C-alpha cells in the first residue's frame, strides 16, 4: 500500500471510531474553559494510538499530542477545537473539528516516519470567548511550527477566510444612589450608560468599511424607584486589523468620557474577554488545500474569502507560523452557525462524510509538505514576506 493510500484508508477504516468521539462530545457539551471531560476523552484516545500526551497544556483544558520521529524534518501542527455554546451545545461544530483533528493526526502518524519531523495535535479550547489559541501562541507553542492546519464545518467547502480583529471592552459607570423622587440628590449611572450606548452607536456611520461595533447594556439597576449608582456596557469592536479596532475603541472611550462629565458620574474600562487578532492568509497553503480537496472529488470549493465578517482565535496562530483554517460542507445554506441545526449536522451522514473528506484533505496536504520540502519552503517564504510588509 502506498503512503497516500495508507492515509486515506486509515481515516476511512476508523471513521466509526472518530464519529463516536464526535457523538460523545455532542451528547456531553462543555463550554469554554470547562472542557475537562472532553479533554480527557481526546487525550485518552491520542494516548491509545501512540502519541505522547500532555493534559492541561498551557491552559487548564488544553492538551498536546506529540509524535516525534527522531529524525530531521518539519514540525506540523493540527489544531482541535472542542468548546460548545451555552444552551445549544455544539452549534459551531467544534466537536467535528476535534474529530477531524484526531483523524488527521492518527493518519499522518502512520506515515511520518518515512520522512522525518514532528507531528503535533494541539487541543485549543475556549475558541468562542477565551481564546485558547491566543494563550498558546503567547506561550510560544507555535513559534517552532512550520505549518498549522485545521478545518471548520459549515455550509460550504472552502480554503480559508479573513477574520476581523476583535477588541472586547467593558464600560463600568459609577454614580450615586438616590430615591427616584429625589433625583437631584443622586447621579444616574444608567443615564450615562444609555447615553454612551447611543453615542457609541453613532460612531458606526463614520467607521471604515467592514468595521463592526456591537454591544449590550449588561447592568442597569435593580429597582425603578432607585437612581442607579452602577451600570455597565459590554462591547465588541471589530475591524480588519487590530490597530483600527483599537482606534475605534479610543473614539468610543472619548465619547463616554464626555457623557460621564455631563452626567456627573465616573467610569472605567476593562478588557473582559480575550482580544483576537485578524487572520493572516497564506495563499500557498490555500492553493495546496484546494488541490487536495479537488483530488478527493469535492466541488464548489470556495476561494479565500477576503471580506472579514467574524472573529477567531486562529488569528493569533497565523501571526506565528503559516496557518490555514479550511472549511468543509456538512449542511445546506439554510442552516446557520451557532444553531441546534448545525449541532445536529455534525452527527449526521453529511457530518460523517465531512469528517472523512476534511481529514483526508488535511492529511494529503501534510503529505505534500513532508514529501516536497520546496513546497513548504515556498509557504514559509510567503509567510515571512507577509509579516515583513504588515
Amino acid at each position: 500500500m502506498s503512503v497516500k493510500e495508507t492515509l486515506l484508508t486509515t481515516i476511512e477504516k476508523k471513521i466509526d471510531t472518530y464519529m463516536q468521539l464526535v457523538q460523545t462530545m455532542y451528547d456531553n457539551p462543555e463550554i469554554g474553559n470547562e472542557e475537562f471531560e472532553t479533554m480527557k476523552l481526546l487525550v485518552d484516545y491520542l494516548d491509545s494510538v501512540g502519541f505522547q500526551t500532555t493534559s492541561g497544556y498551557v491552559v487548564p483544558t488544553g492538551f498536546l499530542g506529540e509524535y516525534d520521529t527522531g529524525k530531521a524534518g518539519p514540525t506540523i501542527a493540527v489544531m482541535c477545537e472542542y468548546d460548545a455554546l451555552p444552551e445549544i451545545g455544539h452549534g459551531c461544530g467544534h466537536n467535528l473539528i476535534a474529530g477531524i483533528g484526531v483523524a488527521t493526526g492518527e493518519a499522518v502518524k502512520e506515515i511520518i516516519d518515512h520522512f522525518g519531523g514532528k507531528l503535533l495535535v494541539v487541543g485549543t479550547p475556549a475558541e468562542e470567548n477565551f481564546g485558547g489559541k491566543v494563550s498558546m501562541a503567547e506561550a510560544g507553542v507555535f513559534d517552532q511550527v512550520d505549518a498549522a492546519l485545521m478545518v471548520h464545518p459549515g455550509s460550504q467547502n472552502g480554503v480559508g477566510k479573513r477574520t476581523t480583529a476583535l477588541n472586547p471592552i467593558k464600560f463600568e459607570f459609577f454614580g450615586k444612589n438616590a430615591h427616584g423622587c429625589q433625583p437631584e440628590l443622586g447621579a444616574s449611572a444608567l443615564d450615562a450608560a444609555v447615553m454612551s450606548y447611543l453615542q457609541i452607536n453613532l460612531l458606526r456611520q463614520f467607521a471604515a468599511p467592514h468595521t463592526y461595533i456591537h454591544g449590550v447594556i449588561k447592568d442597569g439597576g435593580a429597582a425603578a424607584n432607585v437612581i442607579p449608582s452602577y451600570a455597565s456596557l459590554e462591547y465588541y469592536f471589530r475591524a480588519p486589523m487590530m490597530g483600527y479596532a483599537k482606534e475605534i475603541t479610543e473614539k468610543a472611550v472619548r465619547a463616554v468620557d464626555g457623557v460621564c462629565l455631563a452626567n456627573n458620574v465616573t467610569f472605567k474600562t476593562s478588557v473582559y474577554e480575550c482580544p483576537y487578532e485578524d487572520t493572516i492568509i497564506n495563499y500557498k497553503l490555500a492553493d495546496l488545500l484546494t488541490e487536495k480537496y479537488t483530488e478527493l472529488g469535492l466541488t464548489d470549493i470556495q476561494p479565500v474569502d477576503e471580506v472579514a465578517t467574524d472573529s477567531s482565535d486562529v488569528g493569533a496562530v497565523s501571526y506565528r507560523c503559516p496557518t490555514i483554517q479550511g472549511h468543509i460542507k456538512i449542511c445546506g445554506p439554510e442552516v446557520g452557525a451557532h444553531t441546534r441545526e448545525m449541532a445536529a449536522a455534525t452527527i449526521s451522514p453529511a457530518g460523517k462524510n465531512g469528517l472523512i473528506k476534511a481529514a483526508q484533505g488535511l492529511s494529503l496536504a501534510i503529505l505534500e509538505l513532508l514529501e516536497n520540502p520546496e513546497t513548504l519552503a515556498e509557504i514559509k517564504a510567503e509567510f515571512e514576506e507577509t509579516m515583513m510588509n504588515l
Side-chain angles (χ1 to χ4, degrees), residues 214-238:
H214 36 214
V216 296
I217 298 176
K218 194 70 173 178
D219 301 283
N225 64 345
V226 177
I227 302 298
S229 64
Y230 177 81
S232 68
L233 306 175
E234 289 184 354
Y235 264 89
Y236 280 176
F237 298 92
R238 303 187 203 239

Side-chain angles (χ1 to χ4, degrees), residues 55-123:
S55 298
Y57 183 65
V58 179
V59 292
T61 55
F63 69 80
L64 177 68
E66 181 176 357
Y67 184 77
D68 192 343
T69 66
K71 298 184 290 186
T75 298
I76 306 297
V78 180
M79 295 176 284
C80 297
E81 295 176 5
Y82 38 93
D83 59 316
L85 294 159
E87 297 183 7
I88 61 173
H90 279 287
C92 205
H94 292 183
N95 55 331
L96 198 66
I97 294 175
I100 291 165
V102 167
T104 302
E106 185 172 6
V108 173
K109 177 184 170 292
E110 293 298 308
I111 58 93
I112 194 171
D113 282 315
H114 293 283
F115 306 99
K118 185 185 297 184
L119 174 65
L120 309 178
V121 179
V122 187

Side-chain angles (χ1 to χ4, degrees), residues 21-277:
L21 295 174
V22 173
Q23 181 75 53
T24 299
M25 287 180 275
Y26 175 89
D27 292 336
N28 302 278
E30 295 176 300
I31 63 173
N33 288 338
E34 297 181 14
E35 315 100 315
F36 291 100
E37 291 302 316
T38 304
M39 175 183 68
K40 184 178 186 304
L41 174 75
L42 299 172
V43 166
D44 285 351
Y45 183 80
L46 290 170
D47 189 63
S48 73
V49 296
F51 282 86
Q52 181 179 343
T53 58
T54 304
S55 298
Y57 183 65
V58 179
V59 292
T61 55
F63 69 80
L64 177 68
E66 181 176 357
Y67 184 77
D68 192 343
T69 66
K71 298 184 290 186
T75 298
I76 306 297
V78 180
M79 295 176 284
C80 297
E81 295 176 5
Y82 38 93
D83 59 316
L85 294 159
E87 297 183 7
I88 61 173
H90 279 287
C92 205
H94 292 183
N95 55 331
L96 198 66
I97 294 175
I100 291 165
V102 167
T104 302
E106 185 172 6
V108 173
K109 177 184 170 292
E110 293 298 308
I111 58 93
I112 194 171
D113 282 315
H114 293 283
F115 306 99
K118 185 185 297 184
L119 174 65
L120 309 178
V121 179
V122 187
T124 60
E127 186 275 337
E128 292 294 344
N129 298 97
F130 304 108
K133 296 183 193 67
V134 176
S135 298
M136 290 184 173
E138 291 176 348
V141 171
F142 298 97
D143 287 358
Q144 304 304 316
V145 168
D146 293 286
L149 307 91
M150 63 176 289
V151 166
H152 199 296
S155 60
Q156 293 181 322
N157 299 318
V159 292
K161 62 182 296 186
R162 295 195 178 276
T163 62
T164 57
L166 166 65
N167 197 27
I169 301 296
K170 183 168 188 169
F171 297 86
E172 295 180 275
F173 302 87
F174 305 93
K176 183 181 178 182
N177 284 134
H179 193 287
C181 294
Q182 295 179 299
E184 71 278 6
L185 301 179
S188 176
L190 177 59
D191 283 358
V194 170
M195 291 178 66
S196 294
Y197 182 87
L198 295 172
Q199 190 64 44
I200 292 172
N201 281 354
L202 292 176
L203 293 175
R204 291 172 172 169
Q205 179 182 354
F206 304 98
H210 311 303
T211 302
Y212 304 93
I213 303 171
H214 36 214
V216 296
I217 298 176
K218 194 70 173 178
D219 301 283
N225 64 345
V226 177
I227 302 298
S229 64
Y230 177 81
S232 68
L233 306 175
E234 289 184 354
Y235 264 89
Y236 280 176
F237 298 92
R238 303 187 203 239
M241 300 286 287
M242 181 58 81
Y244 191 65
K246 289 183 176 179
E247 182 179 329
I248 292 294
T249 301
E250 286 304 310
K251 290 182 178 180
V253 170
R254 290 196 297 271
V256 171
D257 188 43
V259 166
C260 288
L261 180 64
N263 284 274
N264 196 31
V265 305
T266 59
F267 79 103
K268 72 175 184 179
T269 63
S270 59
V271 177
Y272 71 98
E273 289 180 357
C274 184
Y276 288 174
E277 294 282 359

